Every structure is written in C-alpha cells, then in structure tokens.
Amino acid sequence: MPTLPPELLDYVLSLIPPSELQRTALSLINALGPHAHISHAALFRHLRLTREGQAWQTSRRFKLDEGFRQSVVTITAEAWREDPQLLINMLMTLPRVSSLSMCVGPMFAPEHLEELLEMPAWQQSIEGVWFRFNPYVLERSYYTFLKGAYFDTTALRLASWPAQSAPRLRRLAFVQDLPPTHGQVKKETPAFGLQSLEDALDEVAAVDHEPKPSRMEKNDGKMDFAQPIVFFKLFCLTPLANSPIGTQLTHLVLRLPRRNLLTALTTYPLYPLPTPFRSLQHLDLSTTHVIADPRFPLLLRLHPNLEHLVLDRCTGLIGPREEGETVALTLRWLGKCFGGIGASRGEEVSRAWKKIVKDRPTGVPAPGPPTDSTSDAATKKKRPGRSGYASMPRAKKVEEAAPRPKQIVWTSDIALLVKDVVMIPPVPKLKSLGFGLFDHDQMDKSWERTFMVGYNDALEKTAHKIEEVVHRWEVWRDTGKLVDGTKRMVTFRDALPAGSPWVDWSYEETDEPFREFMLERGLIVIGPEAAMEVLSEIRRKQFVFCMVADCSGEPGVPHVSLSNVSKEDKGVREAREKRIWEEEVIGLTTAIQLARSNKNYRIHVIARDLAEDSSSKEFSSPWAGAFWMPFNNVPRTCSWETETWDEWQKMLPLGLLRELPDTRRFEATEEGHLNHWYNAVVPRYERIPPNLCPKGTVGIKYDTVSINAPQYVIWAKKEAEKLGVTFERRGVASLDEAFAAFGGVDCVINATGLGSKWLGGVEDETCEPVRGQTVIVEADTDHASIDAHDPERIAYIIPRPGGKEVVCGGCFDVGNYSTEVDPSLARQILERCFALDPTLSRDGTVEGIKVVAHGVGLRPGRRDGPRVEAQVVSSTANVEGGRTGIVGKGKATVVHAYGFTGAGYQVSWGVAKEVEHLVSDHFGRSSKL
C-alpha cells in the first residue's frame, strides 16, 4: 500500500465521511510511515479540534506551511476549555471555510465572539455557522455574567453584517446545552418559583434544629446556585431577523432551554410589513418554552416559506403527566394552526384591503400622489367642547416619531377603481413537525392521529373556502358583474409555481393603490383555473408528524447531541419504510448505472421525496420484503430480470440481500410457472411432488434472494452520491420544468412511476395504481412461499434480511387509490399465510402470529405494460435543443422508464442498463442528464 500512487490514495480518502477523514488520514500516516504518499492536506480539509492544546498545535503547523491553512474547508472545535483567544486568532485567518462549528465554554467571553465575527477571512465562503454554548460552572466563578456580559452581542454582530458580506451563509445555529445535574436527580421546580408544601414543612421543622444550606452552596453533591444563561434579552434576535444575513438564512436553530422565544420572533413594527427571516425553510426551537397562545400561529404566518419545524423536548404545550381531553385539545389546536396557515394569511389580506376600501372615498376614480399626513398641509379641526388646556400648544418632543404609513390624496383622474377582492388562500408549505417532547416510550401513539384530525379539518375548511370563492366568481361572471372591472381574484405569488400556465404573468394593474398593495404583500391576479389548481394541491397535501425526539430521519441516528436518546421505535420505522417510493429504485439504479458507465455524464436527480425521508403515501414501496420472482415470460422482461439477478449475486456481501433456499411457488396450472424459463437462472430449480402441494395447485421450489427494501434504497442514494450524482428535493409538474432545471439539460430520465399519469408532457392515462397490503410479522421462517393459484386470494411469505421480520401478503387491487389499512383484509392475509406455513405462529393458531406492523402501498402499474423508450418531444424550455443542440431547435429527448407494477426491484438493473444504452445512442458520451 505505501507504493500506491498519491492520486489513488487521495481518491480513497475522498470517499471517507468528513467527520472521519482527519482520523483516517492520521491513522494511515502512522501505519504506513513517513514515506506514505498521503497528502497532509487530508488532515486539515475537515479539521476537528477535540482536546485542549490542539489549537496551539494546529496554529504552529499553519505557520510552517501556509498551504495547510488554505486547505481547511470545514472546522469543528469541540474542546470546551481551549484557550479562547488562541482559538479565535486561528479561526479568523482561515480563508476557505464553508462550515464552522464551535463549542463556547465557560472560558469564553462575549468579546471573543465579537472579535471572531468582526471581519473574518472566511466571510465570503462560509455556508453554515453552529455555536454550541455550555457556560455552566462547578463553582460560583462566572464574573462576566454577574457584571451583565451576555452573548446578545453575537446575534447583533451578525445582524450588522452588510449585504453580500456573506453571500453563501444559509445555516445558523445557537444551541445551549441543558443545565447539568452533576450526577444528581433534582426535584422538579414548581412554576413561578413557588415552594412545594413538602419543602415548606421541612423548613418549618428545621427551625429549631440545624439550618438548611444556603442556595449558593453545594447540597448533596449538586449545584443549588443559578447557572449562567447565554442570551439576556431575547430581542437581540429581532434585528437579526430583518438584517441582510437574516433574510438569506434557510436553516435556523435556536435551542435555548426553557426560554420563551415566541415574543422575540413575532414582535416587529407594523409598518412596513414585517418579513422576518423571509427565506427560512427549517426552524428548530427544540428545548425552548412554547405555549399555546396567539403568538404561535402568528409565528407560522410570519414565515410563509417554512417547511420544517422542530419542537423536540419543548416545555409548555403538554406536560409529562397530562393526558386525556386536555392533551387532545392542544394537539387538535396545533393541527389547525398548521393546516390553517394559508387560510389565515388570506384572511389577513382580505381584512387589510377591506380597510383600505372603507377609507377610500366614493365617486373619485383614481388616486393622486401620496403625501405625508403629518405635514403642515394636513390641518386638524378643533373638536367642539374641548377645554382650553386640551387645546393649548405643547412643546415638541425631541425624539423622532415612529414611521407611519402615508395617507393618500384622491384626485379626479379617470381610471378604474378596484373594490371587491376575493382571496384564494395558498397551500401551507409546512411539510413536517418534529414533536418528540419526551422519550419515545413516554409518547402516546394516538397523538399523531389526534393532531391530523385538526390538520385535516383546517385543510378541508381552506378547500371549502376556495370552492366558495370560485362559485361566487362564476356567479358574478354569469350575471355580468365582472364587466365594470372593479373585481379581482388574487392569491399569493408563492402559491403557484413560477411560469404557471394558469397565470397571466404579463398582466399590469391599472389601479395604482391596488398595484402597490399587491407588490407589498406578494400577490398576483389569477382566474378560476388557477384557483382550482391551488385547490388540487391542497387535496394532495401530505404532512409528517414525528414523535421521535432528536430524530434525523435515518433509523437509529439522532440529529442532536443534547442527551443520549434511544434508537428509533420499530413501529415508527416500519410505518415510514412502507412509504418508500418504488420508482426511486428504478431512478436511483439508473443514475448509478449511467454514472458508472461514463464519468463525463453530469447527473442530477430531482425528487419530491428522497430515500431518507420517504413521506409520500401515493408513491410507496409495496414489496417491503422485495424478492426475486418472475412475473411473466416476455423475453424483454426476462432479460431485465436475469441481469438484475446477476447484479444482485455480486451484492450479497453488502448485507442488503438474503439468500432464501427452497422457496416454494404454487400455481393453478403449469402455464402459471411461465414455461419454467428461469430454471437455468436460479439454483436448485425442481418440481414439488403433487402430494406436497396444496389442493388444486402445481408447485416448484428453487433458491432465490430477498431485499431489505428501505435499506437498499438508502444504499443506492449514497452509492450514487459517491459517483458524483447530485440530488434536489422538489416536485416537478412537467417535462418542460425538468428540462429547464440546472440551466438546461440534454436529456430527462422519466422514472416517476405512477406520477407519469399526471406529469405534464407525459400524462399517460394507461397508468393505474395496483394496491397492495401486507402484514409484517416476527417469525423464525427461513424460506419464502407463494400461493398464486387464486388471483383473488393470493398469499406470499417473504423473510426480510437482517432479523426475524417476515412480510406476509397480500392483494392485487387494480385502480384502488386507498392507502388505509383494511383490518378485514389483514385478517384474511394472516389466515392464508398461516395455512401456507404454520411455522409463522408461536402456538399453532392464527392468533399466535406476532404482528409487528401493517403496510399499504400503491404499485405503479400500467395497462400496456412497462414503458422503456426514448422519445423526442417539443419543449418550450429547451428551445435550442439542449446544451449540445443535438435533437434540433425546440426539441428535447426524454427516456421513459416506468410502469413496472410490483417488479420494480427485480428488473431495476436490467432496465438501468437498457436506459444507459438509449442515452448513449442518442447523445454520445458527454451529456448533462
């Protein structure tokens, strides 16, 4: 290994996760000796300082070789008691840092962070900053806090950064660790500092005996004095919200234990209209104090672009001992807050315009230029009956008055006046709520159902409101009330995708006050067609309510380190895994195959849901225990399945697949076994004697493999990323939108499965859902069984890799869109599978089968069979024929790969290779896909 070329070693190190790169590079240098061809830059690319003294050692290396300083891309300072000034001096001089994460311990003073943020060398390159505060001390020695020095100035310093000073900064975190208990379990402190009755009686009993310890002394090994806090006045966040830095943040973490942030995050001047953190998509308020009052829905309304909110381990909403109707009322209220965001935004706009119309004089056609109502021209009449004292002149105050909206002077210019405005509320953008208030074993699983009752109720009211508005508009149109031009239908600009065909983007409003009103509030004029498009989006809206505290979306991996948390609950994991997209298998496998076949391809994957979150029910993975079993003997499909089998045999060492010997398959006739075409593919293929087959069937057995489907999809995404494939989480409404992505692409691979039924430019009416339902059980079964002799009573048993979980199914319900579990069908599935393999039960009865979870998914079927072909289409988004112009002006090429029903996994590699050949034939070897 020491003789390997440095380029190869650098490539190997590039595959190491950033968190492990420094340690891995150091281990290789120590193992291979000083002559190893390992770039020392690998030690500094993702720099981690984990113990005291490392900052000094690193600074010395930087002085010896400036190249080391230039190579630092991310830095994590985890040592609590490092010399603050030495660390700050080093951090300020790093020119290419994109991510800074540092622990701020008790030795830090606010001045240190002020100096760090004064004018750092990394300001132009920084993308994320994470401050983790742990100011807690063992003794009463926190002088800086006693003198009133808090870290409020850190937020204010960031707020003072001018526009374009940090153009890439998108993520910011202020995290304060939970106060320590020093190994002792402290009693709960009553609210508002009130003593409990027990403590009060103890004090009375101790009057004639020995005195109680002072509050500032140690008591039984724990600290009774108050610990320091990070922020004194939370209103330091207010100027940050409207600063140039605040307007560009997409991710904000504010974990300040037991602090109520709602007031600071919702209190802004009324004029001009507040737009705090206008680009914010992810807000984490874990461990803070959140209460159920009007400020909470106001917080959601002030951040219309917010997609994910995390309230893990928060206090104030639900106590650890609360239960019953009190909890249900809070959860339903929360659900209505989230589902009703769009409606509340719309109502606020309607009220504001009605007030303007009320103040607008009648009979005057158009407004004149605005003037300040506080000028000398504005005169006031003295009210009759006022006293002389009330009328006497006053000395003017020295301070300036707060800015006020300017009044409008109406003139007689001829123009149309807008009077009646009907508002179409937008679709709520929030996609998920992290609500792990306690450890998972303390959470009631009915909470999600209760929350969704309130959420769906609010969404339904919003949808009903849109229907009412559209109906009113149609009545106005039919009765001729739209002729005078005084009525408008509007919605928020972000309610519809840019360039939507339902909006006249060239429309110019003639009523000046109304035009300014729309610009100020981000509104557009629309018609009933656009309103119905918004309505359809509301009908399709999905939401994720996660009760796993500190959940990262990946099984067993927490995303915060405030406490030791248990792994993700198996039931929650199974419920999420059943929703993994089947089409992801085809799309991801194709991306891997294309990336492997030619490094010149630049491949981007666009998906509304990715493997790690898997939140869509309509596009689910029906074969949660997917395994290799042919469905037909069409030569093309047989070729796909054979190639996939060969690829899977190479992947067995990865642990994602499980070998299943003696798999049994029963059909009604010999024809059901597809002429036994795969007897030359799988090992130990043989017929089962008739006396061992269920009545009325003929059987075979052979060796095959099954897949852990959720883990397989996650592996495929990571494998694609290693090969340079990039991913973007968003929906795509049409082929034109896909061709316009990333500045224009040469080819689009359409692997949207059932989504091809609605995808603009495809709209394949032959696509149809094939509903499947499964029951996941725990059993020691080590072989698969399938009984398909009766299509109405199909039964299959598929053991999953990596444990005792077994998938029992199923059904093949064509055209059924329901994703709800059918309890009656679940019972039938268990009865059929028990008859097929009694070893599933622990006591010889159906009731003895241990059920782990239920699953429902929609297989992406197609009446005309799978579609894998290249097609040249007209494209307004790709008017020059792609970057290379190969297919001609106004034309573009799409390669379709969908319609595989339940066989997506077992044909995936064969389909991917055929897609690769189609792309190669059309574009050669240097395309952007």
Side-chain angles (χ1 to χ4, degrees):
M1 191 169 181
T3 60
L4 291 177
E7 295 82 6
L8 181 57
L9 287 173
D10 284 344
Y11 175 74
V12 172
L13 289 174
S14 70
L15 303 178
I16 303 298
S19 60
E20 300 295 330
L21 178 61
Q22 179 178 305
R23 184 181 303 175
T24 303
L26 184 61
S27 299
L28 285 175
I29 292 174
N30 292 336
L32 301 179
H35 300 293
H37 299 294
I38 296 178
S39 171
H40 281 66
L43 291 171
F44 299 98
R45 188 177 305 136
H46 301 289
L47 185 61
R48 299 179 69 88
L49 307 177
T50 58
R51 65 178 184 273
E52 187 177 354
Q54 282 187 326
W56 177 76
Q57 296 173 356
T58 305
S59 298
R60 288 187 58 196
R61 297 298 296 270
F62 287 165
K63 291 180 180 179
L64 294 175
D65 190 336
E66 184 64 24
F68 292 156
R69 191 193 310 273
Q70 296 287 336
S71 64
V72 179
V73 178
T74 69
I75 182 167
T76 303
E78 299 177 344
W80 291 113
R81 296 189 176 274
E82 184 61 271
D83 184 336
Q85 194 60 55
L86 182 62
L87 181 61
I88 295 302
N89 291 342
M90 183 192 71
L91 292 177
M92 289 185 65
T93 60
L94 300 177
R96 297 179 57 241
V97 171
S98 63
S99 175
L100 169 63
S101 176
M102 64 180 297
C103 296
V104 182
M107 298 178 65
F108 273 81
E111 291 80 5
H112 290 126
L113 294 189
E114 286 186 64
E115 183 179 354
L116 173 66
L117 300 175
E118 179 66 33
M119 195 178 294
W122 40 260
Q123 205 169 21
Q124 288 292 315
S125 61
I126 195 69
E127 298 176 7
V129 177
W130 181 290
F131 290 121
R132 179 181 174 187
F133 296 88
N134 190 327
Y136 309 122
V137 292
L138 296 173
E139 303 293 341
R140 301 183 302 276
S141 59
Y142 42 98
Y143 173 72
T144 56
F145 292 89
L146 290 176
K147 73 174 185 178
Y150 301 91
F151 286 91
D152 301 36
T153 54
T154 303
L156 296 175
R157 177 68 69 183
L158 285 169
S160 68
W161 282 8
Q164 298 303 314
S165 59
R168 299 183 179 181
L169 182 58
R170 296 294 183 272
R171 302 182 302 277
L172 177 63
F174 293 107
V175 178
Q176 180 180 351
D177 280 7
L178 295 173
T181 59
H182 302 292
Q184 299 293 326
V185 179
K186 297 180 69 176
K187 294 181 180 179
E188 291 188 25
T189 302
F192 310 110
L194 299 177
Q195 283 185 306
S196 66
L197 178 61
E198 181 182 354
D199 290 339
L201 293 175
D202 287 343
E203 285 192 3
V204 173
V207 170
D208 298 327
H209 301 84
E210 55 182 314
K212 292 177 67 70
S214 167
R215 180 165 180 77
M216 299 298 290
E217 296 177 358
K218 265 188 189 180
N219 181 20
D220 297 331
K222 63 184 179 183
M223 301 299 137
D224 280 342
F225 56 82
Q227 287 284 352
I229 59 176
V230 174
F231 293 133
F232 179 64
K233 292 185 177 181
L234 295 175
F235 282 99
C236 64
L237 300 173
T238 304
L240 177 62
N242 293 297
S243 68
I245 293 300
T247 58
Q248 67 188 41
L249 291 177
T250 59
H251 292 67
L252 179 63
V253 180
L254 298 171
R255 299 183 193 147
L256 305 175
R258 314 299 182 261
R259 303 294 300 275
N260 187 349
L261 301 181
L262 290 183
T263 302
L265 295 177
T266 57
T267 305
Y268 303 98
L270 294 178
Y271 185 84
L273 284 177
T275 55
F277 298 116
R278 67 178 63 173
S279 303
L280 199 61
Q281 298 175 5
H282 181 110
L283 178 60
D284 188 344
L285 299 179
S286 297
T287 74
T288 63
H289 187 72
V290 180
I291 56 178
D293 73 358
R295 287 190 180 90
F296 186 80
L298 177 59
L299 173 73
L300 302 181
R301 194 164 64 244
L302 286 172
H303 301 89
N305 295 314
L306 194 63
E307 296 181 359
H308 308 282
L309 179 64
V310 183
L311 300 177
D312 289 347
R313 305 188 183 279
C314 285
T315 59
L317 287 172
I318 298 176
R321 294 184 178 87
E322 283 190 64
E323 58 184 16
E325 187 60 24
T326 303
V327 174
L329 285 173
T330 302
L331 291 171
R332 285 196 293 269
W333 176 81
L334 275 176
K336 290 180 179 180
C337 289
F338 280 81
I341 298 172
S344 62
R345 290 177 65 198
E347 290 170 0
E348 184 181 29
V349 169
S350 298
R351 287 194 300 267
W353 180 249
K354 287 179 180 177
K355 185 178 185 305
I356 292 177
V357 171
K358 182 179 179 181
D359 297 338
R360 194 174 191 171
T362 58
V364 181
T371 62
D372 194 337
S373 61
T374 61
S375 64
D376 295 336
T379 59
K380 297 182 179 179
K381 292 183 179 180
K382 179 181 175 181
R383 293 182 185 176
R386 299 182 69 191
S387 66
Y389 175 79
S391 306
M392 69 181 293
R394 300 284 192 274
K396 292 185 178 180
K397 293 184 179 180
V398 177
E399 63 269 21
E400 296 183 0
R404 295 168 52 186
K406 299 201 172 190
Q407 303 295 322
I408 295 177
V409 176
W410 304 91
T411 65
S412 57
D413 297 336
I414 298 177
L416 294 175
L417 282 174
V418 175
K419 180 180 178 182
D420 297 315
V421 173
V422 291
M423 180 71 199
I424 299 297
V427 183
K429 287 194 174 183
L430 268 162
K431 299 177 180 178
S432 69
L433 169 64
F435 203 66
L437 299 186
F438 319 110
D439 288 335
H440 195 69
D441 55 1
Q442 299 177 261
M443 302 286 285
D444 189 337
K445 294 184 178 180
S446 66
W447 284 16
E448 178 180 7
R449 184 168 59 252
T450 306
F451 173 89
M452 293 307 297
V453 168
Y455 182 84
N456 292 327
D457 181 58
L459 274 188
E460 187 59 34
K461 289 182 178 178
T462 304
H464 184 64
K465 175 68 175 178
I466 294 176
E467 291 173 341
E468 286 184 343
V469 169
V470 172
H471 176 70
R472 188 193 315 171
W473 189 266
E474 291 175 346
V475 170
W476 285 348
R477 181 192 58 198
D478 296 340
T479 56
K481 292 184 178 180
L482 298 180
V483 178
D484 60 2
T486 61
K487 296 174 174 57
R488 301 286 188 275
M489 180 186 291
V490 300
T491 189
F492 288 95
R493 186 174 292 272
D494 56 28
L496 292 164
S500 171
W502 306 112
V503 180
D504 181 6
W505 298 99
S506 63
Y507 173 81
E508 294 186 5
E509 180 57 55
T510 56
D511 189 343
E512 184 65 20
F514 184 61
R515 186 178 68 84
E516 291 182 359
F517 180 81
M518 290 200 303
L519 287 175
E520 185 181 41
R521 297 179 179 268
L523 304 176
I524 53 175
V525 175
I526 61 171
E529 297 83 2
M532 297 308 294
E533 181 66 18
V534 175
L535 178 62
S536 66
E537 287 294 323
I538 290 178
R539 298 293 191 194
R540 295 195 296 265
K541 180 66 178 176
Q542 298 288 332
F543 193 84
V544 176
F545 182 83
C546 179
M547 295 189 298
V548 180
D550 316 320
C551 174
S552 65
E554 187 172 347
V557 181
H559 65 215
V560 294
S561 55
L562 295 178
S563 60
N564 295 322
V565 296
S566 57
K567 288 193 174 183
E568 187 177 3
D569 178 77
K570 179 186 291 186
V572 175
R573 189 190 78 234
E574 293 291 352
R576 191 188 71 254
E577 288 176 353
K578 78 181 179 69
R579 298 193 293 264
I580 289 184
W581 285 25
E582 167 115 1
E583 49 269 33
E584 277 193 31
V585 178
I586 298 296
L588 288 174
T589 308
T590 302
I592 294 172
Q593 180 64 30
L594 287 167
R596 288 176 177 176
S597 66
N598 192 328
K599 293 184 179 179
N600 291 328
Y601 289 151
R602 289 185 292 159
I603 303 168
H604 309 273
V605 176
I606 301 176
R608 187 186 66 184
D609 299 290
L610 301 178
E612 57 266 27
D613 39 43
S614 314
S615 61
S616 176
K617 289 186 177 181
E618 286 81 5
F619 300 90
S620 59
S621 174
W623 298 87
F627 80 136
W628 196 91
M629 184 192 77
F631 284 82
N632 60 55
N633 55 358
V634 176
R636 191 185 190 194
T637 305
C638 296
S639 174
W640 293 338
E641 292 175 334
T642 302
E643 289 187 275
T644 303
W645 172 268
D646 294 338
E647 192 68 30
W648 281 359
Q649 295 304 301
K650 303 174 187 176
M651 296 171 60
L652 283 172
L654 297 177
L656 298 171
L657 293 88
R658 175 178 178 174
E659 294 179 285
L660 297 176
D662 296 326
T663 294
R664 303 176 300 162
R665 177 175 181 173
F666 304 103
E667 299 284 350
T669 63
E670 286 289 341
E671 288 75 17
H673 290 299
L674 313 174
N675 296 328
H676 305 279
W677 73 264
Y678 51 100
N679 62 353
V681 179
V682 296
R684 301 202 305 161
Y685 187 99
E686 60 186 68
R687 297 174 185 270
I688 299 176
N691 62 319
L692 298 180
C693 296
K695 184 177 179 181
T697 69
V698 291
I700 59 172
K701 65 178 182 178
Y702 57 96
D703 294 353
T704 186
V705 294
S706 67
I707 300 174
N708 189 317
Q711 292 183 14
Y712 185 91
V713 175
I714 293 173
W715 166 86
K717 180 174 181 287
K718 292 181 178 178
E719 183 71 13
E721 288 175 330
K722 290 179 182 178
L723 294 169
V725 178
T726 57
F727 291 80
E728 181 181 7
R729 180 188 280 105
R730 67 180 175 93
V732 176
S734 66
L735 289 178
D736 276 345
E737 185 178 344
F739 279 112
F742 308 102
V745 297
D746 292 327
C747 178
V748 167
I749 312 296
N750 171 29
T752 57
L754 189 58
S756 294
K757 186 179 183 70
W758 302 282
L759 183 66
V762 180
E763 297 170 330
D764 190 340
E765 292 297 327
T766 65
C767 291
E768 56 188 1
V770 181
R771 183 182 182 275
Q773 181 168 326
T774 59
V775 183
I776 300 176
V777 305
E778 182 177 312
D780 292 322
T781 302
D782 59 0
H783 62 269
S785 301
I786 304 96
D787 185 354
H789 82 279
D790 184 354
E792 300 297 325
R793 294 176 54 83
I794 188 172
Y796 53 83
I797 302 169
I798 308 172
R800 298 177 66 178
K804 296 184 178 181
E805 293 178 0
V806 180
V807 178
C808 298
C811 68
F812 204 80
D813 197 353
V814 178
N816 189 340
Y817 283 88
S818 174
T819 57
E820 299 298 323
V821 174
D822 184 344
S824 175
L825 179 57
R827 173 71 183 187
Q828 296 175 34
I829 289 173
L830 291 176
E831 291 174 349
R832 296 175 206 161
C833 292
F834 174 74
L836 190 59
D837 188 353
T839 64
L840 292 174
S841 175
R842 294 171 294 177
D843 60 3
T845 65
V846 175
E847 288 73 19
I849 300 176
K850 185 177 179 180
V851 175
V852 176
H854 295 269
V856 178
L858 305 180
R859 304 176 179 98
R862 188 171 183 264
R863 288 193 295 273
D864 297 336
R867 185 184 184 188
V868 181
E869 63 178 2
Q871 180 187 17
V872 177
V873 298
S874 299
S875 174
T876 58
N878 208 10
V879 295
E880 297 299 330
R883 293 185 311 109
T884 56
I886 294 173
V887 295
K889 185 174 182 179
K891 302 292 183 180
T893 297
V894 57
V895 177
H896 301 283
Y898 64 90
F900 303 101
T901 313
Y905 287 97
Q906 68 187 53
V907 302
S908 57
W909 286 101
V911 170
K913 291 178 181 180
E914 183 165 334
V915 170
E916 190 269 325
H917 293 315
L918 291 171
V919 172
S920 177
D921 291 342
H922 273 71
F923 295 99
R925 315 300 289 180
S926 61
S927 294
K928 183 180 180 184
L929 310 179

